């Protein structure tokens, strides 16, 4: 248990403290806005809910800082499939909570609703970050100039970076004509 605590503390110390500080400042401004908008209710219930959500967010920040993102990005196809399944759950189980937008999952065993798009955003950021890192790491985006002065940009397609086998999508090539 002590090793887990040390690892979490190390992840907190190694994390981006400026980002955490900016998020906390923004969240505090959100609490002030909520308090102002709900002052006619004469209750601080919504502010307490927001403060609880901020606490959960800080805990998740520390936990996500502990996760080896390289391992997760190696299984990016599983993340894509998970995102698709999570979004497809909205078709049979989606609820609108009287908003007209069926973007929430309401499970009876949970005391709150889940919006799958918000969960998918986290994995989408991880996938796209890995693709950007991969492209810059192996220099697969480069510029060529031929003898006529035409410029050709070559880079991996999204499908190739996600390891989707397709011989037709080996490279995406853009050509610019020499001007002047």
């Amino acid at each position: 248990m002590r090793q887990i605590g040390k690892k979490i503390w190390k992840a907190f110390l190694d994390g981006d403290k400026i980002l955490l500080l900016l998020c906390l400042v923004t969240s505090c401004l959100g609490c002030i806005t909520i308090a102002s908008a709900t002052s006619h209710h004469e209750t601080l219930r919504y502010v307490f809910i927001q403060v609880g959500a901020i606490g959960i967010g800080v805990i998740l920040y520390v936990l996500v800082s502990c996760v080896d993102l390289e391992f997760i990005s190696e299984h990016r196809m599983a993340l894509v499939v998970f995102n698709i399944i999570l979004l497809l759950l909205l078709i049979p189980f989606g609820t609108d909570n009287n908003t007209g937008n069926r973007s929430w999952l309401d499970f009876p065993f949970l005391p709150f609703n889940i919006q799958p798009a918000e969960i998918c955003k986290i994995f989408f950021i991880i996938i796209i970050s890995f693709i950007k890192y991969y492209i810059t790491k192996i220099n697969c985006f480069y510029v060529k100039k031929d003898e006529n002065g035409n410029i050709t940009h070559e880079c991996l397609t999204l499908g190739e970076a996600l390891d989707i086998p397709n011989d037709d999508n080996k490279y995406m090539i853009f050509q610019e004509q020499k001007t002047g």
Side-chain angles (χ1 to χ4, degrees), residues 56 97 104-115 119:
I56 292 170
N97 292 333
W104 294 88
L105 291 175
D106 184 14
F107 295 113
F109 55 87
L110 291 175
F112 51 85
N113 292 342
I114 297 174
Q115 193 171 19
I119 297 170

Side-chain angles (χ1 to χ4, degrees), residues 2-53:
R2 186 173 284 254
Q3 290 177 344
I4 294 172
K6 285 182 180 181
K7 186 174 182 178
I8 289 173
W9 183 249
K10 183 182 180 312
F12 179 75
L13 293 177
D14 292 343
D16 191 351
K17 290 178 207 56
I18 294 175
L19 177 64
L20 179 61
L21 178 68
L22 290 172
C23 290
L24 289 174
V25 168
T26 305
S27 297
C28 288
L29 290 173
C31 286
I32 293 168
T33 304
I34 290 171
S36 173
T38 60
S39 62
H40 65 280
H41 290 295
E42 297 181 7
T43 181
L44 295 176
R45 176 179 180 265
Y46 301 109
V47 176
F48 291 140
I49 291 172
Q50 184 68 17
V51 169

